[in-house]
Amino acid sequence: MRRRPVDLGWMRVFVEATRQGSLTAAANVLNMSQPAISYHIRRAEEDVGVALFERVHRGVELTPAGRALYEIARRAVGDIDDAVRGFHVERDRATIRLLTDYAFSSLWLMPRMQAVRRLHPELDIQIVATQRFQQARLGENEIAVVFGGKSEMKADAVLLVPEVVTPVCTPAFAERNGPFDEPSSLARSTLIHLDSPSQAPWFEWTTYLSHFGAKREAQAGHVDLTFNTYSLVVQAAIAGQGIAIGWEGLVDASMMSGVLRAAGPTLQAPGRGYWLMQPDQPGRHVEWLARWLVSEAKDNGWCAGV
């Protein structure tokens, strides 16, 4: 004769009654009445066809069949609880999209992301590197770090890292090709360029040299290098291939380690740099990330705050 499937609704009650050694104690833990606990235990014994508990003074003890079933039920309940906790973690896991350009994402953000994960391991931060940022499209779980001037930004944007630049190269390159005592000496060396629009919104070699009145001879015998991402510009400088314009906040680690050194005077653009932008109605996780970014910038002496 074919038996009906066993109803496992009593399994958690059975496991908890075994752990507590008392139906009354199990009722308190599970927030159920003692008669309800007794009902589930009777259903369990009816389903399996054997007695699971022996009633003793002020409690219950497992029968041999109960002990065999308990080990199976305990593992099953534990596995179910672990799976449900995993579902809840994934459901409650906050996802934040952080939009910025390639240079900031690779040279400023990435070295700091481990610290963010240690502080908030439940946050899933997706870094979206893009050169085409649309301010109006920020959602409540999005945040952006955008390069530009103050006039281009929203009124509540925060200048996170102002544009401060210094020519940089390796010590070995400076020894072979220097000294670079004057900006005019830079104009006679191999320069590493960042490919940019006809009117770049940041310092480039033309604007840098012009600021100091340094002229570059067209036939000076130099062969320059040009790359379309700033990360490659920095890598070329680290490889000793020439002199690059180094942005404060992006080349600091290489300069502190001595891999790169200053090769000319520093220049700053007032009101221009990397700006932190939030949506009009940011979620609480976005607000936390914004505070952390500002704090990190302040600790390094870049951001003056709001």
Side-chain angles (χ1 to χ4, degrees):
M1 182 176 68
R2 186 176 180 181
R3 288 179 57 86
R4 62 180 176 82
V6 175
D7 178 7
L8 299 182
W10 46 261
M11 188 179 296
R12 182 175 298 279
V13 172
F14 168 63
V15 169
E16 198 58 50
T18 302
R19 287 173 176 165
Q20 301 298 325
S22 162
L23 301 189
T24 301
N28 292 332
V29 171
L30 297 174
N31 196 27
M32 298 172 63
S33 67
Q34 200 272 347
I37 296 292
S38 297
Y39 168 78
H40 282 290
I41 296 301
R42 286 197 303 273
R43 287 293 306 273
E45 293 176 332
E46 290 172 2
D47 274 350
V48 300
V50 294
L52 300 176
F53 287 111
E54 293 178 351
R55 275 63 179 176
V56 296
H57 180 63
R58 293 187 178 179
V60 291
E61 290 183 355
L62 289 173
T63 65
R67 285 194 293 273
L69 184 61
Y70 171 71
E71 290 304 317
I72 299 172
R74 179 183 59 80
R75 288 194 297 269
V77 170
D79 289 345
I80 292 171
D81 286 344
D82 289 343
V84 171
R85 277 193 293 269
F87 298 152
H88 289 170
V89 167
E90 288 303 314
R91 182 197 64 193
D92 298 336
R93 190 176 184 86
T95 299
I96 300 174
R97 281 166 46 92
L98 198 163
L99 294 81
T100 189
D101 63 24
Y102 301 118
F104 194 84
S105 61
S106 61
L107 298 173
W108 199 95
L109 273 176
M110 291 308 298
R112 293 170 166 81
M113 290 312 298
Q114 185 61 32
V116 175
R117 284 189 284 270
R118 284 197 301 267
L119 290 170
H120 279 275
E122 78 282 3
L123 290 183
D124 182 5
I125 300 177
Q126 300 176 355
I127 298 176
V128 181
T130 177
Q131 301 299 113
R132 298 181 178 182
F133 171 71
Q134 298 291 332
Q135 294 188 24
R137 295 186 180 179
L138 280 182
E140 67 173 356
N141 290 318
E142 293 181 326
I143 193 171
V145 178
V146 186
F147 188 91
K150 184 175 183 179
S151 62
E152 306 167 57
M153 304 298 156
K154 294 169 57 179
D156 60 352
V158 177
L159 183 56
L160 201 64
V161 183
E163 185 181 19
V164 180
V165 300
T166 306
V168 294
C169 66
T170 61
F173 184 91
E175 185 176 345
R176 290 194 310 269
N177 300 278
F180 303 115
D181 299 326
E182 300 291 337
S184 58
S185 61
L186 297 173
R188 295 190 295 270
S189 188
T190 299
L191 305 181
I192 306 173
H193 299 266
L194 175 62
D195 190 21
S196 61
S198 55
Q199 291 186 332
W202 50 73
F203 281 121
E204 55 183 354
W205 275 116
T206 301
T207 53
Y208 179 88
L209 293 173
S210 296
H211 178 83
F212 294 103
K215 294 183 180 180
R216 197 152 202 237
E217 299 296 335
Q219 304 298 326
H222 48 69
V223 178
D224 288 351
L225 302 173
T226 301
F227 298 94
N228 65 345
T229 66
Y230 188 64
S231 297
L232 293 177
V233 170
V234 174
Q235 288 303 312
I238 291 174
Q241 297 178 16
I243 307 173
I245 291 182
W247 269 269
E248 186 172 303
L250 302 185
V251 297
D252 297 64
S254 296
M255 295 187 72
M256 289 179 64
S257 66
V259 173
L260 294 176
R261 51 152 285 184
T266 296
L267 190 59
Q268 181 170 356
R272 196 168 71 189
Y274 280 103
W275 294 79
L276 174 66
M277 303 185 67
Q278 299 185 59
D280 293 334
Q281 296 181 324
R284 63 184 180 91
H285 295 297
V286 166
E287 290 181 329
W288 175 85
L289 183 57
R291 290 193 299 270
W292 183 86
L293 289 168
V294 169
S295 175
E296 186 70 13
K298 282 184 177 181
D299 288 345
N300 287 275
W302 297 314
C303 178
V306 292

